[in-house]
Amino acid sequence: MSAVETWNRQSGATTLKLAVLPDNGHAIAFYQRHGFSATGELGDLLSDGVTREHVMAKALL
């Protein structure tokens, strides 16, 4: 994770954003431990036509 953050900072990014399946609690917990939080924005619609991805972001300081 730190390598991804470093590369993005060096590239001029100020925020990392990702989407995760809402039922993937392990991944959500992993991202939260690394400083990501829910954005509240709607992610892509999944194949069931109802559920949307869980969008998370982290500011790069």
Side-chain angles (χ1 to χ4, degrees):
M1 184 61 70
S2 69
V4 170
E5 290 180 23
T6 299
W7 179 80
N8 278 278
R9 277 190 198 96
Q10 291 172 346
S11 298
T14 58
T15 305
L16 287 178
K17 189 184 278 189
L18 59 87
V20 63
L21 295 176
D23 63 348
N24 192 343
H26 292 292
I28 292 169
F30 172 82
Y31 294 128
Q32 287 174 332
R33 283 193 306 273
H34 288 277
F36 286 82
S37 58
T39 65
E41 70 183 86
L42 296 176
D44 288 344
L45 191 61
L46 299 178
S47 60
D48 66 4
V50 177
T51 309
R52 292 190 172 270
E53 292 176 321
H54 185 77
V55 180
M56 303 178 81
K58 176 182 180 175
L60 298 176
L61 305 175

